[in-house]
């Protein structure tokens, strides 16, 4: 038994021994025993355990799930049983092997033989050594496991290589030939580097317009034989050419090499791996082939047989082997094409496997929440009906549907764990308030946590406006309160006199005690760390949780980042919401004057304006030399361009008090123009703001641009968003701006942004908790993700503790245990 497991068992044993001492006289003194057992057993399950240890730990975990509701005698019996189990575990006298007859014997054998490949250094693979190990380390390959999960970025079909004379323009081809000419060429327009290949049937020219001459001359010398692939086009005199082949992808073939006997680099579908400086394609291919051949047979497969049969999957070890080195019967897969990946059994198996483990983890999280004893609210309608009768507008059908979903959760005995998604201006705040009032009607307190004090104050103003005649007490906890006021608020919260508490991270402070917290509403969820959200939830006894986000989340991400939450969508805008006109101006003479004319006109009509810049101040980086920056432009706009208007400056380096003061001046119309960075991206309502100008708009992501646009159009006046693009822009940047011009639908924009930027950039991996996959891709493999989720949730419904699949359970805990520990919060 490992020292780590022994330490956990001893920590668990102490309170149980204390509770059972002297005929259980201390049993009522041991508080939160169920939470302690849950936390420690989960930690234990993340270790490397034997099958019998897994079952014993899982028994301890399950035994205490409803501990608080048990009769005293039942609690005593339970503690005695668990102490016996811990003693057997510590003495390694647990469950003879034949009691595990329900476990597949082949799986047991694999489990016992399996080594932890993450602990075997790559250096000890034949052909590696210290220098190459250091090079591979730069690409994140330090162990055998990391090498196995370092996948090709593309494939080349080298089973039959076409003769150069048979190549057709407009196709992607693999070419092999001898270099008969190479060097720099001068034309009237520019310099370029060329290498001419011949295979005896014809010639093809490789062309580089941007090049390192020294590197190309040294690598592609006359007389060498090379193999490469690329897009064939027609060049000078209609001769075939390949423009800008990646130099690292061009493989040099040794003179003495017997081509017809090379079945690693030729005569097969060949993997092309991402490279780093210091290692060539053939070297890394040979290393990974050695790893695959030596270690793939030892890879255990945890996908249940019935799932593999239902879906037509192969074993994980075979899938890994064939993704690296496809067999002759396999397809040549285009890794950028979703259909190509889906139609390949090895690739589909591997993607499913990664998604499946993650979705099992999420299913456990959801299971744990559903098994908790929460609050079954019984709203009377006294407050909500009063408010609804006085609203100056009618709820949309989407708001009514979502309120019905939330009320259903609140009336259930298990805690609500729901994500409320809605585009900017879709009416999330009133939905949240009505849910909070249902809580108050039922005799409980509610808390709303916002990411900034400005947003918290905005919520306070809004809630007070709606509830001023309802006779409920609302308090706002923020920095800067006097000790007397703060103490008064703390006392009111502790006594239950404050029915609604609003605040920022101050709400999770230890001093804040609620009498009976029933509902936690978290606004703009992605701005909070996991521990802050867990801290607020811990202020009550399994309170309901409603998470609101104005950043539309594409379906594939909702199934991963928020996969343990139920999702409600506000997919309908209120009828009085003004449509925002979006104009895209590309950098040319007179463009900025046109934009400034619109700004002047709108201000003279009584409106206010945001002007957003990508940088706070000038950067020394050459990448940013063409970008405008906020501090300089605020001065220029005030003194030279808009001397008759009042200009303010807001950016992230200002102190909180300074930012709040500037924002308050803008809200109260003491400023006409607010020059800012993206700190205005989320949340604050200024109904009078009618213009949003974004400079260097090509530098912003789609969802970010959409959030900025959402700061205007909140009043009754027509609003306009002006996106000014600099002259240096990519094709992707132009696509983003075109999408912004054509649609205001936040969900369509979010889907497009996910495709353009990829999942990591879309949410920011570290902040979002977005899982990192080795092969699976959330955009490309959305169909596989849906299937994996369906199968994972089916298994957990049928076998809640995975007792039939203990090795699968252990693998899930190993990969996702740190997330499961904060079930329903992360």
């Amino acid at each position: 038994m490992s020292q780590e497991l022994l330490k956990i068992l001893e920590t668990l044993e102490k309170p149980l021994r204390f509770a059972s001492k002297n005929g259980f006289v201390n049993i009522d003194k041991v508080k939160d025993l169920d939470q302690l057992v849950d936390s420690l057993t989960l930690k234990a399950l993340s270790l490397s355990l034997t099958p019998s240890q897994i079952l014993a730990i899982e028994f301890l975990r399950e035994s205490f799930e409803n501990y608080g509701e048990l009769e005293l005698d039942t609690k005593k019996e339970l503690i005695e049983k668990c102490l016996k189990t811990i003693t057997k575990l510590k003495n390694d006298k647990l469950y003879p092997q034949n009691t595990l007859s329900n476990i597949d014997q082949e799986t047991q054998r694999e489990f016992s033989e399996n080594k932890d490949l993450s602990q075997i250094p790559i250096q000890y693979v034949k052909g590696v050594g210290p220098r190459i190990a250091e090079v591979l380390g730069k690409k994140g390959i330090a162990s055998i496991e990391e090498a196995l999960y370092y996948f090709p970025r593309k494939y080349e079909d080298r089973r039959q290589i076409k003769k150069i004379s048979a190549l057709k323009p407009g196709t992607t081809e693999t070419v092999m030939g001898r270099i008969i000419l190479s060097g720099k060429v001068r034309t009237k327009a520019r310099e370029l580097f060329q290498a001419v290949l011949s295979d005896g049937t014809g010639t093809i020219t490789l062309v580089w317009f941007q090049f390192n001459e020294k590197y190309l001359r040294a690598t592609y010398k006359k007389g060498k034989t090379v193999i490469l692939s690329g897009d064939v086009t027609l060049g000078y005199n209609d001769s075939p050419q390949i423009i800008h082949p990646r130099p690292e992808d061009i493989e040099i073939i040794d003179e003495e090499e017997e081509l017809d006997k090379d079945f690693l680099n030729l005569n097969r579908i060949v993997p092309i791996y991402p490279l780093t400086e210091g290692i060539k394609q053939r070297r890394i291919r040979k290393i990974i082939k050695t790893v695959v051949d030596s270690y793939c047979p030892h890879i255990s497969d945890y996908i249940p047989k019935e799932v593999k049969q239902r879906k037509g999957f192969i074993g994980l070890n075979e899938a890994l082997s064939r993704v690296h080195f496809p067999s002759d019967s396999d397809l040549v897969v285009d890794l950028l094409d979703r259909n190509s990946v889906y139609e390949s059994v090895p690739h589909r198996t591997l993607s499913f496997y990664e998604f499946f483990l993650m979705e099992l983890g999420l299913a456990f999280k959801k299971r744990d929440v559903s098994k908790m004893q929460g609050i079954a609210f019984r709203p009377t309608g006294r407050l909500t009906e009063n408010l609804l009768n006085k609203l100056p507008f009618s709820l949309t059908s989407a708001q009514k549907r979502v309120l019905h979903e939330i009320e259903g959760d609140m009336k259930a005995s298990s805690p609500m764990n729901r994500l409320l998604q809605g585009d900017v201006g879709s009416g999330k705040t009133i939905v949240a308030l009505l849910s909070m009032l249902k809580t108050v009607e039922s005799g409980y307190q509610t808390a709303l946590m916002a990411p900034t004090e400005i947003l918290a104050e905005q919520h306070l103003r809004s809630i007070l406006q709606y509830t001023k005649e309802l006779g409920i007490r609302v308090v706002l906890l923020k920095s800067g309160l006097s000790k007397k006021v703060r103490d008064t608020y703390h006392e009111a919260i502790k006594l239950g006199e404050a029915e609604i508490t609003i605040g920022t991270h101050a709400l999770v402070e230890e001093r804040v005690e609620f009498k009976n917290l029933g509902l936690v509403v978290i606004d703009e969820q992605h701005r909070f760390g996991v521990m802050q959200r867990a801290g607020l939830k811990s202020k009550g006894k399994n309170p309901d949780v409603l998470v609101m986000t104005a950043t539309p989340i594409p379906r594939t991400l909702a199934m991963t980042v928020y996969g343990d939450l139920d999702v409600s969508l506000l997919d309908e805008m209120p009828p009085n919401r003004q449509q925002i006109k979006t104009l895209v101006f590309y950098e040319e003479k007179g463009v900025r004057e046109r934009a400034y004319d619109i700004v002047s006109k709108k201000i003279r009509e009584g409106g206010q304006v945001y002007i957003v810049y990508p940088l706070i101040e000038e950067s020394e980086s050459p990448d940013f030399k063409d970008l405008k920056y906020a501090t300089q432009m605020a001065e220029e706009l005030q003194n030279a361009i808009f001397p008759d208007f009042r200009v303010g400056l807001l950016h992230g380096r200002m102190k909180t008090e300074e930012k709040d003061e500037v924002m308050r001046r803008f809200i109260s119309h003491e400023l006409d123009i607010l020059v800012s960075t993206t700190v205005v991206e989320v949340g604050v309502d200024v109904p009078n703001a009618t213009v949003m100008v974004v400079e260097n708009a090509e530098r912003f992501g789609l969802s970010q641009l959409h959030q900025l646009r959402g700061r205007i159009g909140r009043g009754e006046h027509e609003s306009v968003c002006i996106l000014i693009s600099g002259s240096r822009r990519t094709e992707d940047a132009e696509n983003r701006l075109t999408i912004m011009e054509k649609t205001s639908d936040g969900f369509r924009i979010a889907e497009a942004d996910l495709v353009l930027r990829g999942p990591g950039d879309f949410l920011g991996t570290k902040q979002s908790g977005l899982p990192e996959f080795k092969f699976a891709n959330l955009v490309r493999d959305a169909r596989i993700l849906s299937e994996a989720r369906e199968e994972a949730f089916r298994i957990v419904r049928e076998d809640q503790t995975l007792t039939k699949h203990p090795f699968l359970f252990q693998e899930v805990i190993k990969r996702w245990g740190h997330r499961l520990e904060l079930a329903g919060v992360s």
Side-chain angles (χ1 to χ4, degrees):
M1 175 182 294
S2 70
Q3 286 301 308
E4 206 170 349
L5 177 58
L6 187 60
K7 190 176 177 183
I8 291 169
L9 292 174
E10 287 172 348
T11 306
L12 184 55
E13 189 178 25
K14 282 178 185 176
L16 295 176
R17 291 270 178 226
F18 178 73
S20 66
K21 200 173 179 181
N22 300 327
F24 289 92
V25 293
N26 300 319
I27 192 166
D28 290 331
K29 295 179 183 177
V30 182
K31 304 296 183 186
D32 299 323
L33 196 52
D34 50 350
Q35 292 179 33
L36 177 70
V37 173
D38 183 68
S39 175
L40 289 172
T41 53
L42 192 61
K43 192 174 179 182
L45 287 166
S46 68
L47 305 175
S48 182
L49 306 176
T50 66
S52 57
Q53 287 171 337
I54 292 171
L55 293 177
I57 299 291
E58 185 62 18
F59 163 73
L60 293 172
R61 180 174 164 77
E62 294 289 325
S63 297
F64 279 85
E65 279 190 343
N66 299 308
Y67 178 79
E69 300 160 30
L70 301 178
E71 298 292 332
L72 183 61
D73 288 343
T74 311
K75 285 183 179 178
K76 292 177 182 178
E77 287 176 22
L78 177 63
I79 289 172
E80 284 177 341
K81 275 186 191 175
C82 289
L83 282 169
K84 287 177 184 176
T85 301
I86 290 170
T87 302
K88 287 180 180 178
L89 266 168
K90 286 171 67 179
N91 296 331
D92 280 336
K93 292 180 179 178
L94 195 71
Y95 308 132
Q97 196 68 19
N98 58 17
T99 64
L100 301 174
S101 56
N102 63 323
I103 300 172
D104 182 78
Q105 287 185 356
E106 183 181 337
T107 312
Q108 282 186 49
R109 190 168 60 253
E110 280 186 2
F111 183 83
S112 62
E113 290 174 359
N114 189 33
K115 301 170 185 175
D116 187 350
L117 301 183
S118 67
Q119 300 304 309
I120 305 176
I122 191 69
Q123 179 175 338
Y124 300 115
V125 172
K126 184 180 178 183
V128 178
R131 188 189 73 80
I132 294 296
E134 187 179 343
V135 171
L136 292 174
K138 293 176 185 175
K139 294 297 284 184
I141 307 173
S143 69
I144 296 298
E145 183 177 81
E146 285 163 340
L148 281 173
Y149 285 87
Y150 188 75
F151 294 110
R153 61 176 174 80
K154 68 172 186 175
Y155 300 95
E156 289 181 8
D157 189 350
R158 297 184 184 174
R159 289 172 293 191
Q160 286 187 325
I161 297 173
K162 280 186 183 177
K163 296 296 183 183
I164 291 175
S165 59
L167 299 177
K168 293 180 181 178
T171 58
T172 300
E173 302 285 2
T174 298
V175 179
M176 185 163 66
R178 187 181 296 273
I179 301 171
I180 59 173
L181 192 66
S182 74
K184 190 163 66 173
V185 176
R186 297 179 190 275
T187 68
K188 288 181 181 178
R190 66 202 310 173
E191 284 186 333
L192 48 90
F193 193 95
Q194 290 183 342
V196 181
L197 308 187
S198 171
D199 67 351
T201 70
T203 61
I204 186 168
T205 305
L206 313 181
V207 182
W208 290 271
F209 296 113
Q210 296 171 336
F211 54 90
N212 178 331
E213 183 182 356
K214 185 178 178 183
Y215 173 77
L216 290 178
R217 279 192 183 279
T219 308
Y220 306 115
K221 292 179 180 176
K222 183 178 176 181
K224 286 192 173 182
T225 299
V226 299
I227 187 168
L228 73 149
S229 71
D231 297 328
V232 179
T233 60
L234 292 179
Y236 182 69
N237 285 337
D238 288 339
S239 59
Q241 64 178 10
I242 295 177
I243 295 175
H244 268 287
R246 292 172 67 150
E248 66 269 27
D249 284 359
I250 301 175
E251 297 177 29
I252 308 294
I253 296 174
D254 294 334
E255 288 295 322
E256 64 275 10
E257 194 172 326
E258 296 184 60
L259 303 184
D260 59 340
K261 293 182 180 178
D262 183 351
F263 293 100
L264 175 61
N265 304 298
L266 297 165
N267 307 299
R268 68 175 305 140
I269 301 170
V270 175
I272 307 295
Y273 292 94
L275 293 183
T276 188
E277 190 176 347
I279 192 165
K280 296 205 180 304
Q281 191 63 241
R282 290 189 158 208
R283 185 71 174 270
I284 196 167
R285 189 180 297 134
K286 186 175 181 181
I287 290 167
I288 290 181
K289 185 72 166 78
T290 301
V291 170
V292 166
D293 289 348
S294 302
Y295 293 96
C296 262
H298 300 294
I299 297 288
S300 294
D301 188 353
Y302 303 110
I303 299 180
K305 287 179 181 175
E306 63 270 22
V307 175
K308 285 198 287 191
Q309 288 168 357
R310 195 158 46 235
K311 293 294 178 185
F313 294 137
I314 55 178
L316 179 62
N317 50 5
E318 185 185 351
L320 269 170
S321 178
R322 284 166 61 186
V323 164
H324 281 290
F325 298 97
S327 67
D328 272 349
S329 61
D330 284 333
L331 303 164
V332 182
V333 173
D334 178 355
L335 292 172
L336 300 178
D337 182 85
R338 64 180 62 194
N339 292 324
S340 183
V341 170
Y342 189 84
E343 288 163 9
S344 166
V345 174
H347 293 80
R348 189 169 79 247
T349 299
L350 196 52
S351 182
F352 180 92
Y353 182 78
E354 286 197 276
F355 285 144
F356 183 63
L357 288 180
M358 177 203 62
E359 291 295 343
L360 277 171
L362 293 170
F364 285 138
K365 289 176 77 174
K366 200 161 186 176
R367 175 207 69 178
D368 288 346
V369 171
S370 67
K371 290 168 84 172
M372 289 178 186
Q373 186 60 42
I375 302 163
F377 292 94
R378 293 293 176 260
T380 63
R382 174 178 62 86
L383 298 173
T384 50
E385 287 171 17
N386 194 331
L387 175 58
L388 286 169
N389 290 333
K390 291 179 180 176
L391 286 178
F393 54 85
S394 298
L395 297 182
T396 64
S397 56
Q399 286 173 315
K400 291 175 184 174
R401 183 190 71 243
V402 168
L403 277 166
H404 181 71
E405 292 168 353
I406 291 171
E407 185 167 352
D409 283 359
M410 292 180 73
K411 287 180 175 178
S413 58
S414 56
M416 172 170 71
N417 228 26
R418 186 167 287 276
L419 171 68
L420 174 57
Q421 275 208 81
D423 210 344
V424 179
S426 60
K428 293 183 296 298
T429 303
I430 192 68
V431 169
L433 176 57
L434 286 164
S435 304
M436 293 163 81
L437 292 178
K438 289 178 193 291
T439 307
V440 176
E441 288 171 357
S442 303
Y444 291 87
Q445 294 168 284
T446 181
L448 190 158
M449 187 159 74
T452 65
E453 289 198 352
I454 290 176
L455 273 172
E457 287 178 353
Q458 180 173 293
H459 280 302
L460 177 70
R461 285 193 298 271
S462 177
I463 288 172
L464 287 176
Q465 179 187 340
Y466 285 128
T467 61
K468 56 188 173 187
E469 296 176 16
L470 298 181
I472 62 174
R473 186 171 180 187
V474 183
V475 300
L476 170 66
L477 286 180
K478 62 171 187 172
S479 60
L481 292 175
S482 68
K483 184 178 184 305
K484 184 178 179 181
V485 171
R486 184 175 294 277
D487 289 346
T488 302
Y489 285 174
H490 282 174
E491 187 70 10
I493 295 167
K494 186 176 181 179
L495 295 175
E497 295 168 1
E499 288 110 328
I500 297 178
T501 302
I502 302 167
T504 58
H505 54 85
L507 285 178
V508 302
E509 289 177 1
E510 286 185 21
R511 283 190 59 205
V512 181
E513 291 181 43
F514 288 84
K515 181 182 179 183
N516 55 352
L517 181 63
L519 172 67
V520 173
V521 178
I522 301 174
D523 189 18
E524 292 301 338
Q525 186 263 4
H526 64 287
R527 293 223 176 169
F528 290 105
V530 169
M531 295 311 298
Q532 286 173 318
R533 301 196 299 274
L536 182 53
K537 192 177 174 186
S538 69
K539 298 289 182 180
K541 183 65 176 173
N542 296 332
D544 283 4
V545 176
L546 181 65
V547 173
M548 298 195 298
T549 175
T551 305
I553 310 291
R555 184 168 171 270
T556 50
L557 288 188
M559 287 162 62
T560 51
V561 182
Y562 304 108
D564 61 316
L565 306 184
D566 295 306
V567 180
S568 286
L569 283 180
L570 283 174
D571 50 7
E572 178 185 359
M573 299 298 275
N576 61 343
R577 177 78 170 163
Q578 286 286 333
Q579 190 72 24
I580 300 169
K581 186 177 182 181
T582 301
L583 304 172
V584 177
F585 290 169
Y586 293 105
E587 188 78 70
E588 58 185 46
K589 192 174 180 182
V591 154
R592 196 157 274 97
E593 288 74 12
R594 283 171 58 200
Y596 291 158
D597 285 347
I598 295 170
V599 168
S600 298
K601 182 172 179 286
K602 288 290 185 183
I603 293 176
R604 289 198 167 92
E605 289 173 356
Q608 290 169 275
V609 177
Y610 293 101
I611 302 181
V612 175
Y613 295 92
L615 299 177
I616 297 174
E617 56 194 29
E618 190 171 11
S619 170
E620 294 180 5
S621 169
D623 292 340
F624 300 144
K625 67 182 174 65
D626 294 327
L627 301 191
K628 297 188 178 297
Y629 48 99
T631 50
Q632 182 208 33
M633 288 308 300
E635 196 174 318
E636 188 177 319
L637 288 167
Q638 180 66 88
N639 297 330
I641 300 168
F642 298 118
D644 298 334
F645 302 138
R646 298 161 297 178
V647 179
L649 174 65
L650 183 74
H651 60 73
R653 290 189 199 159
M654 296 167 71
K655 292 178 180 175
T656 302
E657 307 82 57
E658 293 174 320
K659 284 190 283 190
D660 288 352
E661 178 57 28
V662 171
M663 206 63 224
R664 286 189 191 96
R665 289 180 64 207
F666 190 60
I667 291 167
S668 59
H669 207 161
E670 295 172 39
L671 297 173
D672 302 302
I673 298 172
L674 184 60
V675 174
S676 174
T677 54
T678 55
V679 291
V680 297
E681 179 186 341
V682 171
V684 179
D685 281 344
V686 183
N688 207 46
T690 55
V691 181
M692 168 65 71
V693 179
V694 183
E695 288 273 9
N696 293 111
E698 78 282 356
R699 286 278 174 163
F700 295 86
L702 262 176
S703 291
Q704 202 171 28
L705 290 171
H706 182 63
Q707 288 299 316
L708 288 169
R709 178 168 61 183
R711 295 306 99 223
I712 60 173
R714 293 177 164 261
E716 57 194 28
H717 307 292
E718 184 186 82
S719 297
V720 60
C721 176
I722 301 170
L723 306 176
I724 302 177
S725 171
S727 55
R728 294 174 67 182
R729 58 183 175 272
T730 63
E731 187 179 341
D732 273 356
E734 287 201 22
N735 288 339
R736 287 197 295 275
L737 298 177
T738 301
I739 290 164
M740 284 294 295
E741 200 170 20
K742 286 182 177 178
T743 183
S744 58
D745 184 326
F747 289 95
R748 284 179 60 190
I749 286 169
E751 290 285 358
D753 201 18
L754 179 62
V755 171
L756 286 171
R757 290 203 289 159
D761 286 341
F762 180 90
L763 279 177
T765 303
K766 289 181 183 176
Q767 287 300 312
S768 67
L770 179 70
E772 293 183 40
F773 301 108
K774 302 293 186 184
F775 177 76
N777 181 294
L778 287 169
V779 179
R780 181 194 66 198
D781 302 332
R783 183 176 171 188
I784 302 171
L785 172 59
S786 294
E787 293 176 3
R789 183 173 178 81
E790 183 184 328
E791 292 291 347
F793 276 73
R794 183 210 303 260
I795 280 183
V796 173
R797 275 197 307 273
E798 294 171 355
D799 180 11
Q800 289 210 344
T801 58
L802 290 190
T803 50
K804 296 177 187 172
H805 310 282
F807 305 106
L808 175 60
F809 179 81
Q810 189 183 42
E811 189 69 6
V812 174
I813 296 298
K814 176 184 168 185
R815 303 263 183 124
W816 299 96
H818 60 294
R819 296 176 194 271
L820 297 179
E821 195 163 5
L822 290 164
V825 178
S826 63

